[in-house]
Amino acid sequence: MPTRLLASSALALILATPGFAQEMNFNRVASFPVARNLPAAEETSAEIIAATEDGMTLVYTDSPSGSLGFIDITDPAAPAPLGALSLEGEPTSIAIVGTTGYVAVNTSADYLQTGGALLTLDVGTRQIAATCDLGGQPDSVAVAPDASFLAVAIENERDEDLNEGALPQMPAGFVAILPLVDGAVDCAGMIRADVTGLAEIAPEDPEPEFVSINADGEIAVTLQENNHIVILDRSGAVLSHFSAGEAVAEGVDAAEEGALSFTESVTRLREPDAIAWIDADHVAIANEGDWNGGSRSWTILAQDGTEVFESGASFEHAIVEIGHYPEGRSENKGVEPEAIVAGTFGETPMIFVGSERGSVIGVYDATDPAHPVLRQLLPSGIGPEGLLPIPTRGLFVTANETDLGADGAARSHVMVYAWQEAPAAYPQLTSAGMDALTGWGALSGMVAGEDGMLYAISDSVYGAQPTIFVIDPAQQPARIVQAIRVTRDGAPARHMDMEGITLDGQGGFWVANEGRTDREIPHALYHVNAEGAITEEVLLPEALLAHETRFGFEGVTLVDGTLWMAVQREWGDDPAGMVKLVSYTPATGVWGAVHYPLAAHERGWVGLSEIVAHDGYLYLVERDNQLGDLAAIKQITRLALADLQPAPLGGDLPVVTPEVVVDLMPYLTATGGYVLDKVESLAITADGTMWIATDNDGVDDHSGETMFFSLPPM
């Protein structure tokens, strides 16, 4: 398979910028899989992350492996592994002053016999210099800006399986305050700040979650399960305390039903996780929620508890528009804002809000704390837990805790972003600007229209709401401008797994449905009119169905009155390494097929994901099911239409000879992320421009990231 077009020749087009001054934006420049520090570990996780004073070395906590991981970011675009340090216990948080790290470690025997330690780490030598007994199970640690003391949230967390997780569950938590003398922790001088008797919810059992310290040495503490916030001075005295209250989110999806419908209103306790001082007088909280709440929002409060700003559903709505909404969390806490930090870049104070379930970072201009402005949404790895601004180097870093390697999905990553004079590289596709809030995701097929629009479909993730999305690719980013709901007899069409779409030449579409008999989803072709109504259903003949597997049609295209469909993987009657390209002529009802030889591979499987006719050729997307460092085959191939001579089903099939025309691998890392596995959509416009999109699985065990980009005519 000779390669006719090298991907590197057009790589810069994804990030092409006009030749004039740009505004400043954050763009991801690198993704570091933390398994590189512990390649033999079955599970790794980057959770809380910190940097040395020079900003050159990152250190993150890795709870599953009981270790600290180290990354060299001297070159931010090429993070290098520096190995891991095993600890006796579970690291929960880290803060660094200069090259000295302060690491909180959980050593609890169980929920009743709680224990923990504060380790002093020499980052340069990877040596533990000192240990302090904290007297309880620690969570968050923070160092005062003047490095005169540090504070640790001693949570003594509850057992979520006991009494359905309800409080109180002793022992009570507290806040440990430890003096620092020339960087050394004064263990004997530890203050045990009592925060019992303050919260309205289980006041006898406070569970401190997160701490932050301002320039005046005031300590802000969230008691997440108690829905309370406490402000302490460095002596442990309570300066103020107040309920975190509740918030209203209007226009949200509160039902997990395979559809994106943002019509409900919820009122929930905030139950904040992370907290950050944004100036001397205001704190920002991420309202993740826990056992009894979760408002899907983030909030700015004065330190007396006065509400200054409440995001309501606006943060979640912005995430919906870029295709990152986790529909499977609708009945729970939606996008779950969990992490929050503040930092000043240039002269702009910014707040960074991490969505745990949407895997997105919101970047806000906080010049006016009462009216923060959302500047950007950054794609992250799965489950951003630790956020780290490094303004001195113009960098921002995320630690993404979720490791799904055991399930064949993405592993935990640390991601690096640069503050640069350039347009924002993400999102590449959005529904912003539509009259109604429109969610989307799991793009599985696409076709170019004669009107300059692209038409894309979603797959069975949204089985209760099959949709054809109309995309205007001329805008930057590309814009979804219409959602055509696919219906049967006036109701949302059920039993659909749309995996291919093509124009019918009469203003409507043909849609290829990938069947799954065990779920009553048929292998079929559907004729759909311009309004989305199914007007004709074509089931596969017995000669095909007798050998079916769940990996059916992935793409459909129309050539001179004949539909051609790509079958993703081998069916029961296919030789190993061969899949069918199936033809069907609606006017005659005649079926046929040829065999397509798949590329040789070492891991997983290789299959076809799309088929498009253009200018005398059939173009196909061929890919493996691997991602990240394991991905090897993501490519566009083609066949001359003149060489396609389908044979009748049930007999020997002619074998076609594809040629590789585009290697997609470099494009899939052009925005600093890891290689996404599911390249599923290809559309080719009249001038030969190729549009490519990835399938984000509806944000189910996925970061939600969708790549949507074009390649120039060949």
Side-chain angles (χ1 to χ4, degrees):
M1 295 184 184
T3 301
R4 290 176 52 91
L5 175 66
L6 296 178
S8 58
S9 66
L11 183 58
L13 290 176
I14 295 179
L15 299 176
T17 61
F20 49 83
Q22 304 287 332
E23 67 176 6
M24 299 296 290
N25 284 292
F26 288 97
N27 283 316
R28 186 177 52 198
V29 294
S31 297
F32 178 87
V34 299
R36 291 181 65 189
N37 274 330
L38 284 169
E42 293 183 359
E43 182 182 3
T44 59
S45 180
E47 297 167 308
I48 304 302
I49 194 162
T52 52
E53 186 174 4
D54 62 6
M56 299 294 180
T57 303
L58 301 175
V59 187
Y60 59 86
T61 61
D62 183 344
S63 174
S65 70
S67 68
L68 299 174
F70 301 83
I71 307 172
D72 179 356
I73 58 166
T74 302
D75 179 355
L82 294 175
L85 174 66
S86 295
L87 304 174
E88 294 183 4
E90 174 198 7
T92 61
S93 185
I94 182 171
I96 297 177
V97 177
T99 59
T100 301
Y102 304 97
V103 185
V105 177
N106 177 19
T107 60
S108 301
D110 52 40
Y111 292 105
L112 297 176
Q113 303 174 78
T114 60
L118 182 71
L119 311 181
T120 301
L121 168 73
D122 184 320
V123 175
T125 65
R126 314 288 194 270
Q127 298 295 312
I128 302 300
T131 302
C132 287
D133 182 3
L134 292 172
Q137 174 257 317
D139 199 329
S140 167
V141 59
V143 177
D146 65 1
S148 62
F149 72 96
L150 58 79
V152 184
I154 305 298
E155 183 177 9
N156 289 338
E157 64 184 355
R158 76 192 196 284
D159 181 350
E160 297 182 14
D161 295 325
L162 179 64
N163 297 329
E164 297 183 348
L167 298 181
Q169 290 186 27
M170 298 305 183
F174 57 93
V175 178
I177 303 171
L178 297 97
L180 293 175
V181 181
D182 296 328
V185 181
D186 178 5
C187 300
M190 184 178 83
I191 297 169
R192 183 172 172 141
D194 182 5
V195 289
T196 61
L198 304 178
E200 297 173 4
I201 298 171
E204 71 274 35
D205 181 24
E207 298 202 1
E209 182 78 19
F210 211 93
V211 291
S212 179
I213 307 173
N214 67 13
D216 295 329
E218 297 167 327
I219 307 165
V221 187
T222 57
L223 312 181
Q224 183 173 20
E225 289 82 357
N226 311 88
N227 196 43
H228 210 75
I229 295 171
V230 181
I231 311 295
L232 305 170
D233 69 15
R234 67 182 63 209
S235 73
V238 176
L239 300 176
S240 66
H241 70 92
F242 42 88
S243 169
E246 63 183 21
V248 178
E250 296 180 343
V252 300
D253 186 347
E256 297 167 14
E257 56 186 3
L260 296 168
S261 177
F262 305 98
T263 60
E264 300 181 59
S265 176
V266 297
T267 301
R268 298 285 188 272
L269 297 179
R270 290 189 171 105
E271 292 187 344
D273 186 329
I275 189 168
W277 289 98
I278 61 173
D279 57 31
D281 303 311
H282 300 92
V283 293
I285 54 175
N287 305 321
E288 178 198 23
D290 200 294
W291 65 297
N292 199 32
S295 64
R296 307 173 183 230
S297 71
W298 69 279
T299 312
I300 295 177
L301 303 167
Q303 63 170 301
D304 65 358
T306 302
E307 182 180 305
V308 174
F309 167 79
E310 165 58 42
S311 73
S314 64
F315 180 49
E316 181 162 285
H317 285 180
I319 292 172
V320 168
E321 291 175 340
I322 66 167
H324 280 249
Y325 181 74
E327 203 278 327
R329 299 292 296 176
S330 293
E331 292 178 4
N332 201 318
K333 294 170 283 187
V335 299
E336 293 190 34
E338 178 180 21
I340 198 162
V341 294
T344 299
F345 286 79
E347 298 181 353
T348 305
M350 294 183 178
I351 299 172
F352 302 84
V353 185
S355 162
E356 178 184 9
R357 299 294 179 171
S359 297
V360 170
I361 311 301
V363 182
Y364 287 82
D365 181 334
T367 301
D368 179 359
H371 301 94
V373 177
L374 180 61
R375 291 183 56 137
Q376 281 187 266
L377 292 167
L378 306 178
S380 190
I382 306 177
E385 174 81 7
L387 310 183
L388 177 66
I390 311 178
T392 57
R393 295 198 65 201
L395 299 176
F396 174 70
V397 176
T398 65
N400 304 283
E401 67 175 340
T402 305
D403 187 332
L404 298 173
D407 299 322
R411 305 208 64 177
S412 173
H413 280 76
V414 167
M415 294 189 171
V416 183
Y417 309 77
W419 176 240
Q420 52 189 218
E421 189 175 295
Y426 199 83
Q428 297 172 336
L429 178 64
T430 178
S431 65
M434 293 185 67
D435 291 339
L437 178 65
T438 301
W440 58 275
L443 300 183
S444 56
M446 191 160 59
V447 66
E450 296 176 355
D451 55 359
M453 297 291 119
L454 304 177
Y455 296 83
I457 50 175
S458 56
D459 66 20
S460 61
V461 171
Y462 308 112
Q465 190 185 55
T467 302
I468 300 170
F469 295 101
V470 184
I471 300 169
D472 181 358
Q475 300 192 53
Q476 184 62 35
R479 300 271 174 166
I480 294 173
V481 296
Q482 184 183 0
I484 303 171
R485 306 303 185 189
V486 178
T487 61
R488 182 185 286 112
D489 299 326
R494 298 287 179 168
H495 310 296
M496 299 289 285
D497 185 6
M498 302 188 298
E499 293 286 348
I501 183 171
T502 192
L503 306 179
D504 69 354
Q506 303 168 6
F509 311 92
W510 281 98
V511 170
N513 206 58
E514 182 177 28
R516 186 157 181 181
T517 304
D518 60 336
R519 297 182 180 177
E520 299 184 346
I521 299 174
H523 295 280
L525 293 168
Y526 294 102
H527 204 178
V528 179
N529 68 19
E531 290 72 42
I534 295 175
T535 60
E536 180 183 359
E537 179 178 11
V538 179
L539 299 178
L540 272 59
E542 183 59 27
L544 278 175
L545 288 178
H547 308 285
E548 69 166 314
T549 73
R550 53 170 289 206
F551 301 100
F553 290 162
E554 289 268 339
V556 60
T557 194
L558 183 64
V559 182
D560 297 331
T562 294
L563 295 168
W564 281 92
M565 288 70 66
V567 179
Q568 185 178 56
R569 293 175 60 185
E570 299 97 330
W571 279 23
D573 59 339
D574 294 320
M578 294 277 187
V579 295
K580 294 185 186 74
L581 303 182
V582 176
S583 66
Y584 171 70
T585 304
T588 63
V590 174
W591 293 83
V594 299
H595 265 138
Y596 177 104
L598 296 170
H601 57 283
E602 296 181 359
R603 298 184 182 89
W605 53 259
V606 169
L608 300 179
S609 287
E610 182 67 286
I611 184 169
V612 181
H614 176 74
D615 196 22
Y617 289 89
L618 278 185
Y619 290 83
L620 301 106
V621 173
E622 185 175 3
R623 67 171 180 91
D624 59 21
N625 67 332
Q626 303 297 297
L627 49 72
D629 293 344
L630 299 181
I633 300 169
K634 316 287 182 187
Q635 60 194 20
I636 297 173
T637 68
R638 75 176 184 181
L639 307 164
L641 286 171
D643 295 337
L644 283 178
Q645 300 297 326
L649 300 174
D652 293 336
L653 300 179
V655 178
V656 297
T657 304
E659 64 172 328
V660 178
V661 291
V662 182
D663 177 6
L664 292 171
M665 290 287 288
Y667 295 94
L668 297 174
T669 57
T671 57
Y674 54 82
V675 176
L676 300 170
D677 62 328
K678 297 180 75 171
V679 184
E680 294 227 341
S681 296
L682 171 66
I684 305 177
T685 60
D687 69 354
T689 298
M690 292 182 174
W691 285 92
I692 293 105
T694 60
D695 178 348
N696 73 356
D697 280 331
V699 205
D700 183 9
D701 288 345
H702 195 287
S703 68
E705 183 170 351
T706 294
M707 294 196 74
F708 186 92
F709 59 92
S710 65
L711 304 181
M714 290 188 297

